[in-house]
Amino acid sequence: MAIGWYLKRLANMSPREMVHRAGEARRKQLSRKTSYGWDAFPSRGSLRCLTGLELRVASASPELKAHIRASADHLLEGSFSAHGVAWPKRAPDSLFPPSLWRLDPITGGDWPGGETYCFDIPYRHERERGDAKYVWDLNRLQFLQPLAAAVAIWNDENALRAIEQAIASWAEANPPFQGLGWNSGIELAMRAVSLIVAMSLCGGRLQEQTLAITEGLLRAHHFWLRRYPSRFSSANNHLVAEALGEFAIELVLPELRGDDRSRETLEREARLQILADGVGAEQSPTYAAFTAEMLLVADLLARAAGQAPLSPSAHQRLASFAQWISWISDQRGRAPNIGDDDGGCVLSLCMARETAYPTSVARAVAGWLDIASNVAASADPPQLRDALFAAKSGDNAPTGVKTFAEGGYTVVREQRAGNNVCFVLDHGPLGYLSIAAHGHADANAFTLCLDDEPVFVDPGTYLYHSGAGWRDWFRGTKAHNTLCLDGADQSVISGPFNWGAKAQARLGASIGGKEWMLSASHDGYKSRFGVEHVRQVRALPNGIALLDRLTGAAVKETAEITFQAAPGLAIRPENGGWVVFKEERPVLRLAFSSRGETFVVRGGALGEGGWVSPCFGGKLAADQLVWRGVVPEHGLITAIEWGAAAEQEPMQEAFSEA
């Protein structure tokens, strides 16, 4: 399996990247033969604390302070959870045993630790121990942040001692470049930022011994980040994280700053990974938010160190990101789960999962840059970033038809048939760079919310390395609200974070106003079946109509057009159509212009559909409506109506007018 992964990865590499990878492999071999140890990274007593962070947290709202208090108490009791999974509870007098850092909380198995060279751990192909993501998340040390916030607000001695114990334990159990915690640059970067934020929030209260250990940790992290940068096809959000890690370390250890590479990388990647229209280049709202939060934290730490902030062009990209999020999010602050989402963030209170992370970051952007905000508040508890960036929400949601041409989304927000409507059509690229690592095969897919309640949704992510076939299912075409031809994905999967042939999508037309109309297409099936999928969407008096056509060669293959309902909704046949119910209340009605096999699947076996992943590691059975048949030459119309029309028979004029 590992050989196959490398062969598929090579297929997406340029000659220059192959040369780079060969050099990287040689450096890894040399490092394996080198005995580092903490003696190689001694403390010189030059570690700086960044000022001002503790004052921002100390002025947090009463609600946020209560949440910080609850999080710190939870951690001090020996509890920790992530992605809805709780680690085994530890005694308060033994919070950080050495075994903690290598434990998988689901399988109970131990990953290789300080006895194993980090690059000898085959985490991509491991199945028995679990998903490396869980172990990595604990090792990011983000739980230090709420503990340090408790120190800043209440001078909490128990929290201070816990921070010191955690830092000492991690250093002892994870000597330089040994164990799972050292084999991915993004993990080193997030851990370094956590250490710097925690140290700065503690405001000089840490003991000299702890500061010496921290300095050694940061020096080792800086060395490793510089030695193994993410480049070429890997230069996605990982590269931003690595640049942030280097930048932050150089702010507190200025003698390590030999050049401006880290700042220049942050500036450049802000323009590359957040497109001019604000859409994230990785085609995922949550990964765009992750990149935006990294840029915000870089700006915050630079100012705290008395350095210049990021450039106006980087700030403009952040402002555009916040505007995009305001369009695609509902008034409860939830963005659709388009593309991958692993729950990653930079600042965390390590309590309840954030259900509205992109809007939380967008509000932080608005507050930090002091710009107008159309981003709704959310029902989530306040977060640490709310205080650090003076987050700002707005009550006036945007309305109308808005196309984000570079990113490839058109959003319709309007009042129709008595409901607030948020409709998002995806006509963007598969993903970023040659491997499009976090994209899904979802061209021409849509999501629909009525009155801020999700109705038709993106299926989500589920798992990464340990997801096996489910990883492919959740990012495949049949799981999304679009057309799948002959059971084939639009783009060809060639690895868990790799794509071969990629569908090219484009917007054909966008007409605004009350009688709005959109048209988009993609060529993902052209080379295999000789056809392109064209989807037209237009307004009806009481809803919308979808017209799906396959243009080009005569179509003989069976198509499936899917409608994935949100968990908690039920789809049942009624009066010649299909009705979506919430409990026993009709939400909307669907009807098709051509006969075909129509059915609902819910929680089927792998490959059958009927699943939604609300968060990383979570998988819920949910109704999925499927039309199956040969698409007529003139196309298939799906009428979707709500309001009073949801309780009536389908409008025949929706078919005759198309």
Side-chain angles (χ1 to χ4, degrees):
M1 181 176 179
I3 294 175
W5 181 89
Y6 283 110
L7 290 175
K8 291 175 181 177
R9 194 72 165 78
L10 282 169
N12 276 328
M13 291 184 187
S14 67
R16 288 184 62 210
E17 180 171 3
M18 291 181 186
V19 172
H20 163 72
R21 298 292 179 186
E24 183 180 65
R26 285 194 296 271
R27 289 193 299 276
K28 289 179 179 179
Q29 289 289 348
L30 289 172
S31 292
R32 178 187 286 106
K33 299 174 182 177
T34 303
S35 177
Y36 289 99
W38 291 119
D39 290 345
F41 305 97
S43 169
R44 299 175 185 175
S46 55
L47 188 62
R48 295 176 56 193
C49 246
L50 303 182
T51 60
L53 273 65
E54 72 278 14
L55 297 178
R56 289 179 174 273
V57 169
S59 62
S61 68
E63 184 183 5
L64 176 53
K65 286 182 177 179
H67 193 50
I68 291 170
R69 183 70 270 167
S71 177
D73 289 345
H74 183 72
L75 292 162
L76 292 171
E77 290 168 358
S79 301
F80 177 81
S81 61
H83 311 298
V85 176
W87 270 244
K89 192 169 183 179
R90 288 149 283 122
D93 60 352
S94 181
L95 291 175
F96 306 107
S99 59
L100 175 66
W101 311 112
R102 59 197 297 179
L103 173 69
D104 183 279
I106 295 179
T107 67
D110 287 334
W111 282 79
E115 75 287 349
T116 306
Y117 179 54
C118 62
F119 294 128
D120 287 343
I121 302 173
Y123 65 89
R124 291 186 181 94
H125 315 291
E126 174 61 51
R127 294 294 177 265
E128 293 183 3
R129 291 188 179 94
D131 200 299
K133 173 68 179 164
Y134 293 98
V135 181
W136 276 335
D137 275 6
L138 177 70
N139 281 265
R140 287 183 176 186
L141 302 184
Q142 290 179 333
F143 62 83
L144 297 180
Q145 297 172 20
L147 292 173
V151 174
I153 297 170
W154 299 289
N155 197 22
D156 188 322
E157 286 293 329
N158 290 330
L160 186 65
R161 297 287 83 78
I163 292 169
E164 295 182 325
Q165 292 166 18
I167 292 172
S169 172
W170 197 92
E172 180 182 0
N174 298 276
F177 324 134
Q178 300 289 112
L180 190 66
W182 288 101
N183 61 3
S184 179
I186 191 172
E187 305 308 319
L188 277 72
M190 291 299 99
R191 184 161 55 248
V193 170
S194 294
L195 287 165
I196 291 166
V197 168
M199 176 184 67
S200 299
L201 286 174
C202 287
R205 298 180 182 90
L206 293 173
Q207 297 180 29
E208 289 297 324
Q209 181 181 4
T210 302
L211 291 173
I213 295 172
T214 302
E215 182 178 338
L217 281 166
L218 294 177
R219 288 183 181 277
H221 281 59
H222 189 269
F223 171 79
W224 212 239
L225 286 168
R226 285 247 162 174
R227 189 167 176 81
Y228 299 109
S230 292
R231 296 189 62 199
F232 298 102
S233 59
S234 298
N236 54 9
N237 67 85
H238 286 231
L239 177 59
V240 183
E242 291 160 8
L244 170 61
E246 290 180 32
F247 183 69
I249 293 170
E250 289 161 6
L251 290 174
V252 297
L253 290 168
E255 69 270 25
L256 294 180
R257 180 185 167 189
D259 53 40
D260 287 328
R261 187 178 84 175
S262 57
R263 177 185 282 271
E264 290 170 354
T265 300
L266 289 168
E267 301 275 7
R268 181 187 69 245
E269 296 305 314
R271 298 188 296 272
L272 292 175
Q273 300 201 36
I274 300 177
L275 304 176
D277 57 12
V279 176
E282 294 196 81
Q283 297 296 305
S284 160
T286 51
Y287 272 104
F290 189 36
T291 296
E293 188 181 18
M294 288 189 274
L295 296 171
L296 279 176
V297 170
D299 215 48
L300 170 74
L301 298 181
R303 291 175 189 263
Q307 301 293 318
L310 298 183
S311 68
S313 66
H315 287 176
Q316 181 55 54
R317 291 302 168 100
L318 287 170
S320 297
F321 158 79
Q323 181 72 358
W324 174 53
I325 293 298
S326 75
W327 272 90
I328 66 171
S329 302
D330 62 30
Q331 284 304 99
R332 298 185 182 183
R334 297 170 299 191
N337 288 333
I338 300 168
D340 274 350
D341 174 11
D342 69 354
C345 60
V346 187
L347 300 171
S348 176
L349 289 182
C350 297
M351 281 286 283
R353 177 180 69 88
E354 290 191 62
T355 64
Y357 174 59
T359 54
S360 175
V361 174
R363 288 192 299 272
V365 168
W368 185 246
L369 300 183
D370 193 22
I371 57 176
S373 175
N374 291 327
V375 185
S378 76
D380 280 354
Q383 296 294 324
L384 196 57
R385 71 181 70 88
D386 292 333
L388 290 174
F389 299 109
K392 181 165 57 174
S393 60
D395 297 324
N396 298 318
T399 59
V401 179
K402 174 76 170 177
T403 292
F404 296 86
E406 190 174 0
Y409 296 93
T410 296
V411 185
V412 180
R413 299 184 69 110
E414 63 176 358
Q415 271 271 343
R416 186 167 295 270
N419 293 95
N420 289 316
V421 180
C422 182
F423 174 87
V424 181
L425 179 66
D426 185 340
H427 47 79
L430 174 65
Y432 185 50
L433 302 176
S434 63
I435 61 173
H438 293 298
H440 289 187
D442 56 2
N444 290 352
F446 75 94
T447 61
L448 176 67
C449 286
L450 297 177
D451 289 338
D452 301 319
E453 290 288 346
V455 181
F456 294 124
V457 299
D458 187 283
T461 300
Y462 188 39
L463 286 169
Y464 281 170
H465 302 291
S466 64
W470 286 108
R471 168 65 174 153
D472 292 347
W473 164 258
F474 274 96
R475 61 192 181 130
T477 301
K478 287 180 68 174
H480 293 83
N481 300 321
T482 187
L483 179 148
C484 178
L485 188 59
D486 200 35
D489 291 321
Q490 304 160 349
S491 300
V492 178
I493 293 173
S494 58
F497 298 92
N498 196 5
W499 294 86
K502 303 172 184 66
Q504 300 297 315
R506 60 189 178 276
L507 180 68
S510 177
I511 300 173
K514 189 172 180 60
E515 305 300 322
W516 58 266
M517 187 275 289
L518 312 172
S519 178
S521 62
H522 75 82
D523 65 359
Y525 294 126
K526 192 168 185 177
S527 63
R528 288 169 284 176
F529 304 107
V531 298
E532 293 194 1
H533 175 213
V534 180
R535 169 165 278 182
Q536 182 189 89
V537 190
R538 65 183 182 86
L540 297 175
N542 296 306
I544 60 175
L546 308 179
L547 171 61
D548 288 296
R549 293 183 296 125
L550 294 171
T551 64
V555 179
K556 299 179 181 179
E557 291 80 12
T558 297
E560 291 185 353
I561 301 175
T562 58
F563 301 86
Q564 179 60 63
L569 302 181
I571 306 177
R572 299 199 292 263
E574 191 172 292
N575 295 331
W578 293 83
V579 178
V580 178
F581 290 90
K582 182 170 185 179
E583 297 174 345
E584 293 304 313
R585 176 179 63 83
V587 175
L588 57 74
R589 173 184 294 274
L590 300 93
F592 303 100
S593 63
S594 297
R595 289 176 179 258
E597 182 186 5
T598 52
F599 55 92
V600 171
V601 291
R602 179 183 179 86
L606 177 60
E608 294 180 1
W611 293 100
V612 171
S613 174
C615 62
F616 188 86
K619 180 162 66 79
L620 299 178
D623 281 6
Q624 184 189 77
L625 174 65
V626 181
W627 180 94
R628 178 186 290 164
V630 176
V631 176
E633 183 178 352
H634 56 274
L636 174 76
I637 301 171
T638 307
I640 304 175
E641 301 168 301
W642 52 82
E647 303 180 31
Q648 302 170 2
E649 293 188 11
M651 290 176 57
Q652 293 304 312
E653 56 263 38
F655 303 141
S656 62
E657 292 177 5

